[in-house]
Amino acid sequence: MLLCSLLLSGALIPKEGMAQSQMDRFIDSLMARMTLDEKIGQLNLPVSGDIVTGQAGSSDIGRKVREGKVGGLFNIKGVEKIRAIQEIAVKESRLHIPLLFGMDVIHGYQTVFPIPLGLTATWDMALVERSARIAAIEATAQGINWNFSPMADIARDPRWGRVSEGCGEDPFLGSAVTRAMVRGYQGKDLSKANTMMATVKHFALYGASEAGRDYNTTDMSRIRMYNEYFPTYKAAVDEGVGCVMSSFNEIDGIPATGNRWLLTDVLRRQWKFKGFVVSDYTSINEMIDHGIGDLQQVSARALNAGLDMDMVGEGFLTTLKKSLKEKKVTEARIHEACRSILQAKYKLGLFEDPFRYCDLQRAQTEVFTSAHRKEARDIAAQSFVLLKNQGNLLPLKRKGTIALVGPLADNRENMTGTWSVAAEHARSVSILDGLKQVAGGDVRLLTARGSNLDYDSLFEDRAGMFGKSLRRDPRSAELLVREAVDIANQADVVVAALGESAEMSGEASSRTDIGIPQAQRDLLKALLQTGKPVILLLFAGRPMTLTWEQEHVPAILNLWFGGSETGLAAADVLFGDVNPSGKLPSTFPRHVGQIPIYYNHKNTGRPLPEGGWFQKFKGNYLDIPNDPLYPFGFGLSYTNFEYTAPLVSNTSPKGLTKISVSTTVTNTGTVTGKEVVQLYIRDRVGSVTRPVKELKSFKKISLEPGEKKTVSFDITTDDLKFYDNNLRYDWEPGTFEIMIGGNSRDIKSISIEWKR
Ligand code: BGC
């Protein structure tokens, strides 16, 4: 009541850009009226999946909300359900404090965009931002005001299933993507009805789990953390991200969720983070299994470390009061945590209008619209990476007979990829749907399943969760292959839609073999034996090992998981309406034994010359070369680009000056194409060892056939900075190699001498 009268008096109505002090006064006055239990209640984020419309009031969650024991809820789909629970919070709880409603909207809401790894492969930050903007428009139209995205975990081990959710292996590209997503979700004004608070996750180093096994231990030097793994999270903080999610793994022997150095010293003191920190799903309770205490101990540890909100586990709710009595936590720290959550609610405008994000009209008109789907189709086409195109097999002509084969050819459920909570899978466009719509009347389309996902049906069950089944075909493997070979024999060209199912990547989907499952590989072999040209349309939630495929299949187009419009986008690229321009955000190994493999590695004292083969007493393998199958930044086009050697404005700059580096790129082919011009730098001599190259800039350009463009990049000493052995961030004078090219391997370079 008091809250309402304060708001009605007009004295405390929050407005855009309102001074911090006004927000503080509002929250001070609110907190002065809150009991300790209510403050602890704000720190609680229980699971809410069981809520159904009309029953919110009588559910256990409804009771807790009424009692002021809930700060927010997550992954509830549907504006009516959200509105019903918000009503309880603001009408029936003592202080009428509205709830946060979170969700994993990680690559779109109902209009689903490519998986984040695919979005990263566009190397087009305007598109990445646009996808996040549309995701925010749709999610907020259905009651969501808080997003558990972006995932900024640098990952160099594709066995880890969650590479699909992230931004690849490189801190520079990853930071650009993370920033673009935060901008897209949060916009310029968080209190607007179509912007939502973003959460950068999983802080920190979650992508470096040992053996690529999800949730596993990480162990890393600080210098590596600061130079290679921290920049993406920091980029989100610099961009003003509202929330940070702690990770499941340990760091220096202390789980991130209870790690004070990480959550307070680094995040709040060094990086000046001003939002709130949420745990990951039961990550407080999981510290019991990590072996650092019972629920009371680990909950106190998390709070003291700087964690503000407890996702699902209710350790805060059930133990903090006792810990306060026993002086294991302070009231000041509980206040601080509570304040940070109330501030987020204030900034979202929830105190002004708790139903700001519950607009039934918008829910109907702004979700899965044809305009959004059109953009999703365009973005998906930009994310695909052409890995091989022997003899210009692609693009296809719009005539003749195409045999479309494979377990992923006629399946809608798997098109969106992992983590698509709000998607209605049956509305996605399959490859078959897409080809039918785009091919035109002169193309005859034959289809056959060809194989199941794999021979092992139990594996297939594990890889087909959350309504994303491939509906196993009960017929024998021989019969399936024979049927496919039959139609291949009648066709001019074979398109084989093969690879991973959507849930073969994502959370708890680590793999030791990251190749195409054997049943599909056998199908591919049989198709190739027909002698017909075969195009592999690859579904991949991670970098895969495609060494055999690279050797034997004439054309490979990697689709990742393109989202709800995958089929149309794939058809656009197959027929050449869109020229592929995606570039790999992660290295594709030749063999799983090369992992971890990444382009920006150190040289070592016994380097094998790049592209070299075995030499005794060099850092290499007896059985295969060191270099990857496809390098970071790689991706072909239906045209070709030629680069001139880079030119620099000054080969011996001094001090804090700016130089420019340029190259002229020519489209030497016959069709218009886009190219990602990439700039790498190598610091030849440092006080600590430096990577063999690091991405420092990139530009995506479009060129007509025969057209040339000069692309220039400015470089300042900021681009040369790194953390040294004392974690001092600065540049050091000396020789730098500047490299420009269309991927991290095929580059042209020039040396400069930068003096103090
Ligand atoms: C995942 C998070 C996610 C959370 C809530 C966890 O299992 O690690 O990424 O945001 O669940 O759904």
Side-chain angles (χ1 to χ4, degrees):
M1 285 321 271
L2 174 101
L3 185 64
C4 291
S5 55
L6 284 174
L7 288 172
L8 288 175
S9 77
L12 294 174
I13 292 178
K15 292 227 166 61
E16 187 190 343
M18 207 174 212
Q20 175 87 15
S21 62
Q22 213 157 348
M23 174 172 78
D24 289 345
R25 279 206 302 280
F26 177 83
I27 292 173
D28 286 346
S29 133
L30 175 57
M31 283 183 65
R33 280 152 191 87
M34 289 172 81
T35 63
L36 179 65
D37 284 320
E38 283 166 335
K39 287 173 193 154
I40 293 174
Q42 286 301 307
L43 320 187
N44 190 32
L45 180 65
V47 72
S48 48
D50 57 345
I51 290 175
V52 277
T53 315
Q55 286 181 6
S58 58
S59 67
D60 188 44
I61 290 293
R63 178 182 57 77
K64 284 189 179 141
V65 171
R66 204 171 285 120
E67 290 171 1
K69 290 182 175 161
V70 177
L73 294 167
F74 69 100
N75 286 356
I76 305 177
K77 193 183 157 192
V79 66
E80 291 91 354
K81 288 184 203 170
I82 290 179
R83 178 174 261 280
I85 303 165
Q86 192 71 301
E87 295 250 351
I88 299 173
V90 298
K91 294 198 178 137
E92 299 180 37
S93 75
R94 196 178 73 89
L95 288 171
H96 321 289
I97 301 175
L99 299 171
L100 293 170
F101 287 95
M103 188 181 266
D104 291 276
V105 187
I106 78 156
H107 53 122
Y109 185 75
Q110 273 189 37
T111 303
V112 183
F113 296 93
I115 54 170
L117 194 63
L119 283 171
T120 307
T122 65
W123 294 59
D124 185 330
M125 296 311 120
L127 291 188
V128 174
E129 183 173 338
R130 185 66 196 145
S131 74
R133 185 84 290 280
I134 292 174
I137 292 169
E138 293 199 357
T140 57
Q142 298 224 339
I144 303 300
N145 47 45
W146 175 25
N147 192 9
F148 302 151
S149 171
M151 181 179 116
D153 305 315
I154 291 298
R156 293 157 171 188
D157 189 334
R159 291 173 298 181
W160 190 52
R162 300 196 82 170
V163 290
S164 54
E165 296 177 55
C167 49
E169 74 187 32
D170 181 65
F172 183 85
L173 178 62
S175 296
V177 168
T178 305
R179 277 178 178 271
M181 285 189 177
V182 172
R183 281 197 302 274
Y185 296 139
Q186 297 195 160
K188 286 197 173 70
D189 177 0
L190 213 47
S191 74
K192 278 202 161 163
N194 65 9
T195 57
M196 59 184 170
M197 179 172 60
T199 304
V200 66
K201 68 187 189 185
H202 307 82
F203 191 56
L205 319 183
Y206 182 37
S209 59
E210 286 179 357
R213 206 170 67 224
D214 209 358
Y215 319 122
N216 207 2
T217 303
T218 58
D219 194 5
M220 190 184 287
S221 66
R222 296 249 162 128
I223 191 171
R224 172 167 263 186
M225 287 182 205
Y226 276 84
N227 280 317
E228 301 167 37
Y229 282 75
F230 276 176
T232 42
Y233 309 109
K234 182 167 185 298
V237 171
D238 291 345
E239 198 63 49
V241 74
C243 183
V244 171
M245 187 186 292
S246 70
S247 57
F248 289 120
N249 54 285
E250 67 171 68
I251 295 173
D252 287 338
I254 301 174
T257 298
N259 195 314
R260 191 175 158 80
W261 171 76
L262 185 75
L263 301 184
T264 297
D265 295 354
V266 175
L267 185 62
R268 298 210 187 260
R269 300 217 173 108
Q270 295 172 19
W271 297 356
K272 315 270 179 263
F273 174 63
K274 298 275 184 285
F276 74 92
V277 181
V278 65
S279 76
D280 202 348
Y281 202 108
T282 62
S283 68
I284 294 181
N285 314 54
E286 291 172 23
M287 291 196 281
I288 303 170
D289 278 328
H290 275 282
I292 62 163
D294 60 20
L295 187 61
Q296 188 189 348
Q297 284 172 316
V298 296
S299 302
R301 199 147 177 179
L303 186 80
N304 290 333
L307 193 117
D308 303 305
M309 196 177 216
D310 175 0
M311 189 192 289
V312 176
E314 304 213 328
F316 278 1
L317 195 74
T318 55
T319 70
L320 282 190
K321 227 171 147 183
K322 183 159 182 267
S323 291
L324 182 63
K325 269 198 208 115
E326 295 169 4
K327 300 204 174 357
K328 296 193 170 118
V329 300
T330 62
E331 195 162 8
R333 182 58 203 118
I334 294 175
H335 279 198
E336 195 178 59
C338 175
R339 176 178 294 275
S340 69
I341 291 156
L342 295 175
Q343 280 176 344
K345 294 181 177 183
Y346 185 98
K347 288 180 188 159
L348 284 163
L350 287 171
F351 287 113
E352 194 184 50
D353 177 7
F355 301 103
R356 172 160 294 186
Y357 304 93
C358 294
D359 180 336
L360 285 171
Q361 166 78 19
R362 278 188 63 212
Q364 271 155 24
T365 56
E366 295 188 14
V367 178
F368 206 63
T369 62
S370 49
H372 290 173
R373 295 181 65 187
K374 165 81 179 62
E375 288 193 69
R377 174 178 179 173
D378 293 346
I379 293 174
Q382 302 291 320
S383 76
F384 301 158
V385 185
L386 183 64
L387 296 173
K388 184 174 176 190
N389 194 19
Q390 194 178 303
N392 292 330
L393 179 54
L394 286 173
L396 297 175
K397 292 172 193 62
R398 277 189 155 94
K399 58 175 198 266
T401 302
I402 299 175
L404 175 65
V405 170
L408 286 143
D410 182 16
N411 181 286
R412 293 179 182 155
E413 292 89 326
N414 278 265
M415 297 299 102
T416 52
T418 190
W419 261 138
S420 29
V421 181
E424 291 182 17
H425 306 308
R427 292 203 292 187
S428 292
V429 185
S430 72
I431 301 297
L432 178 61
D433 298 330
L435 284 183
K436 276 187 187 160
Q437 282 189 50
V438 173
D442 293 340
V443 173
R444 189 163 76 112
L445 207 53
L446 304 174
T447 56
R449 182 172 177 108
S451 80
N452 282 312
L453 183 73
D454 195 17
Y455 293 121
D456 179 353
S457 66
L458 294 177
F459 174 83
E460 189 159 328
D461 287 346
R462 294 196 292 273
M465 295 190 166
F466 311 126
K468 295 175 189 162
S469 168
L470 281 167
R471 292 183 301 279
R472 197 169 173 82
D473 193 315
R475 291 175 294 167
S476 75
E478 295 71 32
L479 192 66
L480 291 175
V481 171
R482 206 178 319 134
E483 191 183 77
V485 166
D486 273 355
I487 65 157
N489 280 326
Q490 298 167 50
D492 300 301
V493 63
V494 180
V495 175
L498 309 177
E500 297 192 305
S501 63
E503 294 302 331
M504 276 170 74
S505 63
E507 188 170 350
S509 294
S510 296
R511 298 179 67 199
T512 58
D513 174 352
I514 54 171
I516 294 179
Q518 196 58 45
Q520 298 183 65
R521 174 79 67 76
D522 290 344
L523 167 65
L524 193 54
K525 282 183 188 159
L527 294 170
L528 289 163
Q529 272 163 13
T530 63
K532 300 287 173 152
V534 176
I535 292 144
L536 169 57
L537 216 48
L538 181 74
F539 284 85
R542 51 162 57 79
M544 295 180 72
T545 46
L546 302 167
T547 308
W548 187 89
E549 289 76 7
Q550 169 64 24
E551 203 176 313
H552 295 96
V553 185
I556 307 175
L557 180 67
N558 176 23
L559 304 183
W560 312 106
F561 286 89
S564 37
E565 311 307 307
T566 298
L568 288 165
D572 290 340
V573 172
L574 285 174
F575 289 110
D577 298 342
V578 177
N579 188 351
S581 63
K583 300 269 189 174
L584 297 178
S586 288
T587 304
F588 275 44
R590 289 173 189 276
H591 190 282
V592 79
Q594 293 177 309
I595 296 170
I597 181 167
Y598 47 95
Y599 83 94
N600 45 357
H601 58 84
K602 300 290 185 69
N603 203 35
T604 83
R606 294 193 176 190
L608 183 76
E610 216 170 300
W613 177 221
F614 178 77
Q615 286 177 40
K616 193 69 185 167
F617 303 121
K618 294 280 187 197
N620 49 204
Y621 303 100
L622 286 174
D623 48 358
I624 57 168
N626 283 0
D627 54 357
L629 187 65
Y630 307 119
F632 174 83
F634 176 80
L636 302 170
S637 162
Y638 294 154
T639 186
N640 292 305
F641 300 101
E642 260 177 37
Y643 285 70
T644 58
L647 286 174
V648 288
S649 59
N650 183 355
T651 52
S652 47
K654 254 186 109 168
L656 303 180
T657 180
K658 180 168 80 184
I659 64 166
S660 81
V661 185
S662 61
T663 181
T664 300
V665 186
T666 309
N667 178 347
T668 57
T670 53
V671 286
T672 302
K674 288 186 183 161
E675 170 71 334
V676 181
V677 183
Q678 303 162 36
L679 179 133
Y680 298 86
I681 298 184
R682 178 173 187 176
D683 186 351
R684 275 285 169 188
V685 179
S687 59
V688 292
T689 60
R690 306 284 295 121
V692 295
K693 56 180 78 113
E694 293 174 288
L695 183 72
K696 291 293 178 182
S697 201
F698 58 87
K699 281 186 183 164
K700 193 162 183 176
I701 56 165
S702 179
L703 292 172
E704 308 279 313
E707 196 189 3
K708 285 182 202 294
K709 264 186 195 157
T710 298
V711 181
S712 37
F713 300 93
D714 288 339
I715 302 179
T716 70
T717 49
D718 280 346
D719 300 304
L720 312 178
K721 286 182 177 168
F722 60 95
Y723 291 90
D724 71 10
N725 213 21
N726 299 311
L727 301 182
R728 211 175 52 99
Y729 187 64
D730 207 352
W731 66 286
E732 294 173 358
T735 307
F736 297 88
E737 204 175 315
I738 300 179
M739 298 160 260
I740 297 189
N743 64 66
S744 63
R745 179 190 59 202
D746 303 312
I747 37 153
K748 293 187 167 158
S749 66
I750 184 164
S751 237
I752 63 163
E753 194 72 27
W754 207 308
K755 302 196 176 69
R756 200 30 102 192

